[in-house]
Amino acid sequence: MAARPGRAAAEPPASPATRDDLVAGPAIREKLAKLGIVSKLDLALHLPLRYEDETKLTPLAEAVPGEPVLVEAVVVECEVKYRPRRTLVVKLTDGASDLWVRFLNFYPSQVKQMEPGRRLRLYGEVRPGFFGAEMVHPKVRVVSEGAPLPHSLTPVYPTTAGLTQANLRGFIEHALDTLLLDDTLEPALLKRLALGPFRESVLLLHRPPPDADPVRLEERTHPAWRRLKFDELLAQQFAMRLAYRERRGKAAPRMAEKHTLTSALVKSLPFPLTRAQKKAWATIAHDLGQPHPMRRLLQGDVGSGKTLVAALAALQAVENDFQVALMAPTEILAEQHYLKLAHWLEPLGVKVTWLSGSLKARAKKNAIEAIGRGETRLAIGTHALFQGDVAFHRLGLAIVDEQHRFGVAQRLALASKGAEPHQLMMSATPIPRTLSMSYYADLDVSVIDELPPGRTPVVTKLVDESRRDEVVARVRESCREGAQAYWVCPLIEESETLQLKTALETFETLKTTFPDLAVGLVHGRLKPDEKAEVMAAFKAKRVQLLVATTVIEVGVDVPNASLMVIEHAERMGLAQLHQLRGRVGRGTAKSLAILLYHRPLSDTARARLKIIYENTDGFEIARQDLLLRGPGEYLGARQSGAPLLRFADLERDADLIELARATADEMIAARSHAVERHLDRWLGQRQFYLKA
Ligand code: ADP
Ligand code: MG
């Protein structure tokens, strides 16, 4: 690992635990590994799901039905009954009241354990039964009279088949007794952050005192939980921010702001930049002038005008005699970018080339040669841009649209094409702030938080499939009045063949339904030139109703289209629905999105439709989506490099994320020794550095 600012020369950090210090046989190790436990430290950080209060005894007569309690009683009778089914029935008394206990599954050893005269402690719920108070399958322990009660709540851990609570508890107790669990953070810092010490926090969570607040423990809002969550988030921030710093130590081409081509583009536009576009552009322009590689994520809601900002960035590179590559995840999106950027840039004398995997051999050869000679200033394409046979003459900036759709391999291929080109990543799907502050903390982030003026918000309607006729009438009427519409086919995730079949069928049906309209079809299996033709026809208003699969989800830009029908909207994810809906409402006409749904609706589908109906702001939709699904799907390819957070919750612990970010930057800047130690404790072998 190169140049870690936190490391002092001679002093190796004291490792709180090595990774192979688990003393257990192979079978147990395997089971523990299933729980993600490979070291003693992992055991100490394997935290309880909930607790059982066995610290006090409840007289039988005082047990409240439905509340688990610990009772103590002496066995009076113990009998195995065979009717109606094999059951172990035990009668006990605590002197004042009787208790009947039943076990449906039991071992002979248990029968022995419950011989008359034995004193038992039973943990479970007491319920009124046929003969009197009753317990079914309580937790049982044989005790002698006056045996001491535990001093802390009994933890219940997440476990796996073949590993009992008692087993697991034993391992964890041993780990807690033998590990140092010393603090990685200075007392003064903890005081300032109002956080408790590490060791005490860990111990408290495993062995809470009887008066600990069970709700705050189980809801993970207890101060001890906060300390652990903070530590976890701090480790994440350290790793990401160190990667960030490491990158800033590298050299990249400096591209000064010359304001020749960039200003020319701004002047040629029929509209002014929005305030938010100006701000994002100013930041990027500054970044490009720096001698180290930019890694900036440009975020903005659908239609906020990210492409224009990307175009300006490209021109600054071109002004400085560098080449630019723009990579998009699909052919159709790459082509849209090509059309738009060629339209803006070629009048300024900047050669823009489209390189698609499916170009005819000759055209492809020409494109590659133009890129190789440096004649092409801006090359646009899918990942075909970074395949072996493409060599850039002087690549200075790579723009990646829809960055989350690209995997690590593609990003590395990209990096290998220029010494260290600057990178501008764009995200069509807004990323909630907490997510960009945590998992994206190795990047700089700019947000375009404003839409160009004059847009009328899209009205969304949820319509039951049974009212399809009304929808058809609406489409007919709108198209007659000169509007254009999209009709989005149902999504069939399981099979691409079925998806295609459905698209073709929908197309045929709609042609019959609308005999007087020009209906077009675009889907993922069309050849690029066929696709281009359909899109061009739609743009030129030769097609009024465009039947489409979700290939139009991203980037497609036809401002005159003001109506969209989405079939089987209940099958689609929120990001997808928001993206689709963003295809309309791009012009000044009032736009409408009709979401057709089929009953019955699952709870999630219902929740999603409600969110999309009630919200138009992509960031808010993203936030709610995060709540609904967790961060996994947002991270896409990024996830493979970054361990998910175990303890912290992006939504609920947003304040801790901010605190961790500020603390991490401060400690790294101060070259604190604690950085290394803390990373070691929390990430150990799993330590990761994202290469973005
Ligand atoms: P997205 O952020 O979703 O990629 P686009 O870059 O496709 O958005 O922009 C959406 C539309 O808005 C395009 O037609 C674009 O030309 C137009 N646009 C961009 N910036 C402005 C602006 N400042 N004023 C008016 N229209 C703009
Ligand atoms: Mg876009």
Side-chain angles (χ1 to χ4, degrees), residues 532-559:
E533 213 175 291
V534 182
M535 291 313 297
F538 191 52
K539 263 205 160 126
K541 303 188 192 174
R542 275 179 278 127
V543 163
Q544 291 158 289
L545 178 63
L546 183 63
V547 180
T549 54
T550 49
V551 295
I552 62 153
E553 181 188 329
V554 284
V556 172
D557 187 23
V558 180

PDB file of all heavy atoms in Angstrom, residues 532-559:
ATOM      1  N   ALA A 532     -31.281   4.185 -34.746  1.00  0.00           N
ATOM      2  CA  ALA A 532     -31.031   5.596 -35.048  1.00  0.00           C
ATOM      3  C   ALA A 532     -32.130   6.131 -35.967  1.00  0.00           C
ATOM      4  O   ALA A 532     -32.610   7.254 -35.788  1.00  0.00           O
ATOM      5  CB  ALA A 532     -29.675   5.759 -35.708  1.00  0.00           C
ATOM      6  N   GLU A 533     -32.534   5.285 -36.931  1.00  0.00           N
ATOM      7  CA  GLU A 533     -33.546   5.708 -37.892  1.00  0.00           C
ATOM      8  C   GLU A 533     -34.872   5.986 -37.188  1.00  0.00           C
ATOM      9  O   GLU A 533     -35.509   7.012 -37.426  1.00  0.00           O
ATOM     10  CB  GLU A 533     -33.726   4.582 -38.906  1.00  0.00           C
ATOM     11  CG  GLU A 533     -34.056   5.059 -40.285  1.00  0.00           C
ATOM     12  CD  GLU A 533     -34.099   3.865 -41.225  1.00  0.00           C
ATOM     13  OE1 GLU A 533     -33.016   3.295 -41.486  1.00  0.00           O
ATOM     14  OE2 GLU A 533     -35.206   3.489 -41.640  1.00  0.00           O
ATOM     15  N   VAL A 534     -35.270   5.060 -36.312  1.00  0.00           N
ATOM     16  CA  VAL A 534     -36.530   5.235 -35.597  1.00  0.00           C
ATOM     17  C   VAL A 534     -36.486   6.495 -34.733  1.00  0.00           C
ATOM     18  O   VAL A 534     -37.414   7.309 -34.738  1.00  0.00           O
ATOM     19  CB  VAL A 534     -36.845   4.024 -34.690  1.00  0.00           C
ATOM     20  CG1 VAL A 534     -38.185   4.208 -33.984  1.00  0.00           C
ATOM     21  CG2 VAL A 534     -36.856   2.744 -35.489  1.00  0.00           C
ATOM     22  N   MET A 535     -35.376   6.652 -34.016  1.00  0.00           N
ATOM     23  CA  MET A 535     -35.271   7.815 -33.142  1.00  0.00           C
ATOM     24  C   MET A 535     -35.286   9.107 -33.953  1.00  0.00           C
ATOM     25  O   MET A 535     -35.909  10.094 -33.558  1.00  0.00           O
ATOM     26  CB  MET A 535     -33.992   7.752 -32.284  1.00  0.00           C
ATOM     27  CG  MET A 535     -33.969   6.667 -31.215  1.00  0.00           C
ATOM     28  SD  MET A 535     -35.447   6.512 -30.196  1.00  0.00           S
ATOM     29  CE  MET A 535     -35.482   8.096 -29.368  1.00  0.00           C
ATOM     30  N   ALA A 536     -34.620   9.078 -35.109  1.00  0.00           N
ATOM     31  CA  ALA A 536     -34.594  10.265 -35.962  1.00  0.00           C
ATOM     32  C   ALA A 536     -36.012  10.577 -36.456  1.00  0.00           C
ATOM     33  O   ALA A 536     -36.425  11.746 -36.490  1.00  0.00           O
ATOM     34  CB  ALA A 536     -33.650  10.055 -37.135  1.00  0.00           C
ATOM     35  N   ALA A 537     -36.746   9.530 -36.819  1.00  0.00           N
ATOM     36  CA  ALA A 537     -38.120   9.722 -37.306  1.00  0.00           C
ATOM     37  C   ALA A 537     -38.994  10.311 -36.197  1.00  0.00           C
ATOM     38  O   ALA A 537     -39.850  11.168 -36.437  1.00  0.00           O
ATOM     39  CB  ALA A 537     -38.703   8.396 -37.781  1.00  0.00           C
ATOM     40  N   PHE A 538     -38.752   9.864 -34.973  1.00  0.00           N
ATOM     41  CA  PHE A 538     -39.542  10.367 -33.843  1.00  0.00           C
ATOM     42  C   PHE A 538     -39.185  11.831 -33.590  1.00  0.00           C
ATOM     43  O   PHE A 538     -40.049  12.678 -33.396  1.00  0.00           O
ATOM     44  CB  PHE A 538     -39.260   9.506 -32.603  1.00  0.00           C
ATOM     45  CG  PHE A 538     -40.199   9.746 -31.453  1.00  0.00           C
ATOM     46  CD1 PHE A 538     -41.587   9.693 -31.628  1.00  0.00           C
ATOM     47  CD2 PHE A 538     -39.709  10.002 -30.181  1.00  0.00           C
ATOM     48  CE1 PHE A 538     -42.451   9.902 -30.563  1.00  0.00           C
ATOM     49  CE2 PHE A 538     -40.568  10.216 -29.108  1.00  0.00           C
ATOM     50  CZ  PHE A 538     -41.938  10.171 -29.299  1.00  0.00           C
ATOM     51  N   LYS A 539     -37.907  12.119 -33.635  1.00  0.00           N
ATOM     52  CA  LYS A 539     -37.456  13.509 -33.434  1.00  0.00           C
ATOM     53  C   LYS A 539     -38.055  14.422 -34.482  1.00  0.00           C
ATOM     54  O   LYS A 539     -38.449  15.553 -34.189  1.00  0.00           O
ATOM     55  CB  LYS A 539     -35.930  13.578 -33.524  1.00  0.00           C
ATOM     56  CG  LYS A 539     -35.278  13.550 -32.171  1.00  0.00           C
ATOM     57  CD  LYS A 539     -33.919  14.205 -32.166  1.00  0.00           C
ATOM     58  CE  LYS A 539     -33.584  14.570 -30.734  1.00  0.00           C
ATOM     59  NZ  LYS A 539     -32.320  14.052 -30.269  1.00  0.00           N
ATOM     60  N   ALA A 540     -38.111  13.923 -35.733  1.00  0.00           N
ATOM     61  CA  ALA A 540     -38.612  14.734 -36.846  1.00  0.00           C
ATOM     62  C   ALA A 540     -40.132  14.708 -36.930  1.00  0.00           C
ATOM     63  O   ALA A 540     -40.711  15.173 -37.905  1.00  0.00           O
ATOM     64  CB  ALA A 540     -37.991  14.239 -38.148  1.00  0.00           C
ATOM     65  N   LYS A 541     -40.777  14.125 -35.961  1.00  0.00           N
ATOM     66  CA  LYS A 541     -42.243  14.046 -35.889  1.00  0.00           C
ATOM     67  C   LYS A 541     -42.868  13.207 -37.013  1.00  0.00           C
ATOM     68  O   LYS A 541     -44.055  13.336 -37.290  1.00  0.00           O
ATOM     69  CB  LYS A 541     -42.868  15.454 -35.883  1.00  0.00           C
ATOM     70  CG  LYS A 541     -42.357  16.313 -34.743  1.00  0.00           C
ATOM     71  CD  LYS A 541     -43.135  17.607 -34.642  1.00  0.00           C
ATOM     72  CE  LYS A 541     -42.432  18.567 -33.698  1.00  0.00           C
ATOM     73  NZ  LYS A 541     -43.030  19.874 -33.637  1.00  0.00           N
ATOM     74  N   ARG A 542     -42.062  12.376 -37.655  1.00  0.00           N
ATOM     75  CA  ARG A 542     -42.649  11.471 -38.642  1.00  0.00           C
ATOM     76  C   ARG A 542     -43.301  10.293 -37.932  1.00  0.00           C
ATOM     77  O   ARG A 542     -44.117   9.591 -38.506  1.00  0.00           O
ATOM     78  CB  ARG A 542     -41.566  10.985 -39.613  1.00  0.00           C
ATOM     79  CG  ARG A 542     -41.327  11.961 -40.761  1.00  0.00           C
ATOM     80  CD  ARG A 542     -40.250  11.462 -41.689  1.00  0.00           C
ATOM     81  NE  ARG A 542     -38.912  11.764 -41.177  1.00  0.00           N
ATOM     82  CZ  ARG A 542     -37.951  10.854 -41.015  1.00  0.00           C
ATOM     83  NH1 ARG A 542     -38.164   9.598 -41.306  1.00  0.00           N
ATOM     84  NH2 ARG A 542     -36.773  11.213 -40.541  1.00  0.00           N
ATOM     85  N   VAL A 543     -42.911  10.066 -36.706  1.00  0.00           N
ATOM     86  CA  VAL A 543     -43.562   9.057 -35.864  1.00  0.00           C
ATOM     87  C   VAL A 543     -44.233   9.798 -34.726  1.00  0.00           C
ATOM     88  O   VAL A 543     -43.634  10.687 -34.110  1.00  0.00           O
ATOM     89  CB  VAL A 543     -42.521   8.052 -35.322  1.00  0.00           C
ATOM     90  CG1 VAL A 543     -43.071   7.274 -34.139  1.00  0.00           C
ATOM     91  CG2 VAL A 543     -42.082   7.100 -36.426  1.00  0.00           C
ATOM     92  N   GLN A 544     -45.506   9.464 -34.466  1.00  0.00           N
ATOM     93  CA  GLN A 544     -46.226  10.168 -33.395  1.00  0.00           C
ATOM     94  C   GLN A 544     -46.238   9.376 -32.100  1.00  0.00           C
ATOM     95  O   GLN A 544     -46.173   9.920 -31.015  1.00  0.00           O
ATOM     96  CB  GLN A 544     -47.664  10.444 -33.829  1.00  0.00           C
ATOM     97  CG  GLN A 544     -47.754  11.466 -34.932  1.00  0.00           C
ATOM     98  CD  GLN A 544     -49.055  11.318 -35.664  1.00  0.00           C
ATOM     99  OE1 GLN A 544     -49.270  10.351 -36.392  1.00  0.00           O
ATOM    100  NE2 GLN A 544     -49.946  12.277 -35.451  1.00  0.00           N
ATOM    101  N   LEU A 545     -46.369   8.063 -32.261  1.00  0.00           N
ATOM    102  CA  LEU A 545     -46.417   7.212 -31.074  1.00  0.00           C
ATOM    103  C   LEU A 545     -45.242   6.249 -31.144  1.00  0.00           C
ATOM    104  O   LEU A 545     -45.125   5.476 -32.105  1.00  0.00           O
ATOM    105  CB  LEU A 545     -47.740   6.435 -31.043  1.00  0.00           C
ATOM    106  CG  LEU A 545     -47.901   5.471 -29.866  1.00  0.00           C
ATOM    107  CD1 LEU A 545     -47.907   6.206 -28.537  1.00  0.00           C
ATOM    108  CD2 LEU A 545     -49.187   4.656 -30.018  1.00  0.00           C
ATOM    109  N   LEU A 546     -44.369   6.330 -30.176  1.00  0.00           N
ATOM    110  CA  LEU A 546     -43.199   5.461 -30.182  1.00  0.00           C
ATOM    111  C   LEU A 546     -43.363   4.362 -29.129  1.00  0.00           C
ATOM    112  O   LEU A 546     -43.404   4.640 -27.931  1.00  0.00           O
ATOM    113  CB  LEU A 546     -41.930   6.267 -29.901  1.00  0.00           C
ATOM    114  CG  LEU A 546     -40.625   5.469 -29.964  1.00  0.00           C
ATOM    115  CD1 LEU A 546     -40.380   4.924 -31.364  1.00  0.00           C
ATOM    116  CD2 LEU A 546     -39.443   6.323 -29.519  1.00  0.00           C
ATOM    117  N   VAL A 547     -43.484   3.146 -29.627  1.00  0.00           N
ATOM    118  CA  VAL A 547     -43.549   1.998 -28.724  1.00  0.00           C
ATOM    119  C   VAL A 547     -42.105   1.645 -28.366  1.00  0.00           C
ATOM    120  O   VAL A 547     -41.257   1.541 -29.250  1.00  0.00           O
ATOM    121  CB  VAL A 547     -44.233   0.798 -29.411  1.00  0.00           C
ATOM    122  CG1 VAL A 547     -44.292  -0.394 -28.473  1.00  0.00           C
ATOM    123  CG2 VAL A 547     -45.620   1.196 -29.880  1.00  0.00           C
ATOM    124  N   ALA A 548     -41.835   1.511 -27.092  1.00  0.00           N
ATOM    125  CA  ALA A 548     -40.431   1.332 -26.703  1.00  0.00           C
ATOM    126  C   ALA A 548     -40.302   0.374 -25.538  1.00  0.00           C
ATOM    127  O   ALA A 548     -41.176   0.291 -24.680  1.00  0.00           O
ATOM    128  CB  ALA A 548     -39.836   2.677 -26.315  1.00  0.00           C
ATOM    129  N   THR A 549     -39.201  -0.351 -25.517  1.00  0.00           N
ATOM    130  CA  THR A 549     -38.854  -1.078 -24.300  1.00  0.00           C
ATOM    131  C   THR A 549     -38.112  -0.076 -23.425  1.00  0.00           C
ATOM    132  O   THR A 549     -37.988   1.090 -23.774  1.00  0.00           O
ATOM    133  CB  THR A 549     -37.941  -2.273 -24.615  1.00  0.00           C
ATOM    134  OG1 THR A 549     -36.823  -1.787 -25.343  1.00  0.00           O
ATOM    135  CG2 THR A 549     -38.678  -3.319 -25.424  1.00  0.00           C
ATOM    136  N   THR A 550     -37.576  -0.535 -22.319  1.00  0.00           N
ATOM    137  CA  THR A 550     -36.939   0.415 -21.414  1.00  0.00           C
ATOM    138  C   THR A 550     -35.614   0.933 -21.963  1.00  0.00           C
ATOM    139  O   THR A 550     -34.905   1.634 -21.261  1.00  0.00           O
ATOM    140  CB  THR A 550     -36.727  -0.214 -20.031  1.00  0.00           C
ATOM    141  OG1 THR A 550     -36.117  -1.471 -20.224  1.00  0.00           O
ATOM    142  CG2 THR A 550     -38.037  -0.384 -19.307  1.00  0.00           C
ATOM    143  N   VAL A 551     -35.283   0.621 -23.230  1.00  0.00           N
ATOM    144  CA  VAL A 551     -34.062   1.200 -23.802  1.00  0.00           C
ATOM    145  C   VAL A 551     -34.134   2.727 -23.809  1.00  0.00           C
ATOM    146  O   VAL A 551     -33.115   3.391 -23.858  1.00  0.00           O
ATOM    147  CB  VAL A 551     -33.756   0.732 -25.256  1.00  0.00           C
ATOM    148  CG1 VAL A 551     -33.471  -0.738 -25.294  1.00  0.00           C
ATOM    149  CG2 VAL A 551     -34.869   1.106 -26.204  1.00  0.00           C
ATOM    150  N   ILE A 552     -35.342   3.282 -23.755  1.00  0.00           N
ATOM    151  CA  ILE A 552     -35.422   4.738 -23.753  1.00  0.00           C
ATOM    152  C   ILE A 552     -35.246   5.301 -22.352  1.00  0.00           C
ATOM    153  O   ILE A 552     -35.330   6.502 -22.139  1.00  0.00           O
ATOM    154  CB  ILE A 552     -36.757   5.265 -24.319  1.00  0.00           C
ATOM    155  CG1 ILE A 552     -37.925   4.775 -23.468  1.00  0.00           C
ATOM    156  CG2 ILE A 552     -36.930   4.890 -25.756  1.00  0.00           C
ATOM    157  CD1 ILE A 552     -39.105   5.708 -23.528  1.00  0.00           C
ATOM    158  N   GLU A 553     -34.971   4.406 -21.421  1.00  0.00           N
ATOM    159  CA  GLU A 553     -34.902   4.820 -20.020  1.00  0.00           C
ATOM    160  C   GLU A 553     -33.957   5.983 -19.789  1.00  0.00           C
ATOM    161  O   GLU A 553     -34.272   6.922 -19.085  1.00  0.00           O
ATOM    162  CB  GLU A 553     -34.458   3.616 -19.196  1.00  0.00           C
ATOM    163  CG  GLU A 553     -34.351   3.857 -17.740  1.00  0.00           C
ATOM    164  CD  GLU A 553     -33.714   2.661 -17.061  1.00  0.00           C
ATOM    165  OE1 GLU A 553     -33.897   1.530 -17.534  1.00  0.00           O
ATOM    166  OE2 GLU A 553     -33.019   2.871 -16.064  1.00  0.00           O
ATOM    167  N   VAL A 554     -32.786   5.908 -20.370  1.00  0.00           N
ATOM    168  CA  VAL A 554     -31.824   6.969 -20.058  1.00  0.00           C
ATOM    169  C   VAL A 554     -31.500   7.839 -21.257  1.00  0.00           C
ATOM    170  O   VAL A 554     -31.348   7.366 -22.367  1.00  0.00           O
ATOM    171  CB  VAL A 554     -30.496   6.408 -19.502  1.00  0.00           C
ATOM    172  CG1 VAL A 554     -30.673   5.995 -18.075  1.00  0.00           C
ATOM    173  CG2 VAL A 554     -30.010   5.278 -20.358  1.00  0.00           C
ATOM    174  N   GLY A 555     -31.411   9.099 -20.999  1.00  0.00           N
ATOM    175  CA  GLY A 555     -30.790  10.010 -21.949  1.00  0.00           C
ATOM    176  C   GLY A 555     -31.585  10.428 -23.170  1.00  0.00           C
ATOM    177  O   GLY A 555     -31.272  11.432 -23.777  1.00  0.00           O
ATOM    178  N   VAL A 556     -32.592   9.676 -23.542  1.00  0.00           N
ATOM    179  CA  VAL A 556     -33.300  10.026 -24.769  1.00  0.00           C
ATOM    180  C   VAL A 556     -33.978  11.383 -24.596  1.00  0.00           C
ATOM    181  O   VAL A 556     -34.598  11.660 -23.590  1.00  0.00           O
ATOM    182  CB  VAL A 556     -34.334   8.934 -25.135  1.00  0.00           C
ATOM    183  CG1 VAL A 556     -35.198   9.384 -26.287  1.00  0.00           C
ATOM    184  CG2 VAL A 556     -33.604   7.661 -25.475  1.00  0.00           C
ATOM    185  N   ASP A 557     -33.804  12.223 -25.617  1.00  0.00           N
ATOM    186  CA  ASP A 557     -34.178  13.623 -25.450  1.00  0.00           C
ATOM    187  C   ASP A 557     -34.984  14.111 -26.657  1.00  0.00           C
ATOM    188  O   ASP A 557     -34.440  14.505 -27.667  1.00  0.00           O
ATOM    189  CB  ASP A 557     -32.880  14.430 -25.285  1.00  0.00           C
ATOM    190  CG  ASP A 557     -33.152  15.876 -24.942  1.00  0.00           C
ATOM    191  OD1 ASP A 557     -34.245  16.164 -24.414  1.00  0.00           O
ATOM    192  OD2 ASP A 557     -32.280  16.711 -25.218  1.00  0.00           O
ATOM    193  N   VAL A 558     -36.293  14.020 -26.574  1.00  0.00           N
ATOM    194  CA  VAL A 558     -37.178  14.518 -27.636  1.00  0.00           C
ATOM    195  C   VAL A 558     -38.192  15.466 -26.987  1.00  0.00           C
ATOM    196  O   VAL A 558     -39.223  15.037 -26.477  1.00  0.00           O
ATOM    197  CB  VAL A 558     -37.916  13.355 -28.364  1.00  0.00           C
ATOM    198  CG1 VAL A 558     -38.824  13.878 -29.468  1.00  0.00           C
ATOM    199  CG2 VAL A 558     -36.913  12.357 -28.928  1.00  0.00           C
ATOM    200  N   PRO A 559     -37.878  16.767 -26.983  1.00  0.00           N
ATOM    201  CA  PRO A 559     -38.674  17.718 -26.198  1.00  0.00           C
ATOM    202  C   PRO A 559     -40.161  17.775 -26.570  1.00  0.00           C
ATOM    203  O   PRO A 559     -40.984  18.117 -25.728  1.00  0.00           O
ATOM    204  CB  PRO A 559     -38.003  19.063 -26.480  1.00  0.00           C
ATOM    205  CG  PRO A 559     -36.621  18.723 -26.908  1.00  0.00           C
ATOM    206  CD  PRO A 559     -36.711  17.410 -27.600  1.00  0.00           C
TER     207      PRO A 559
END
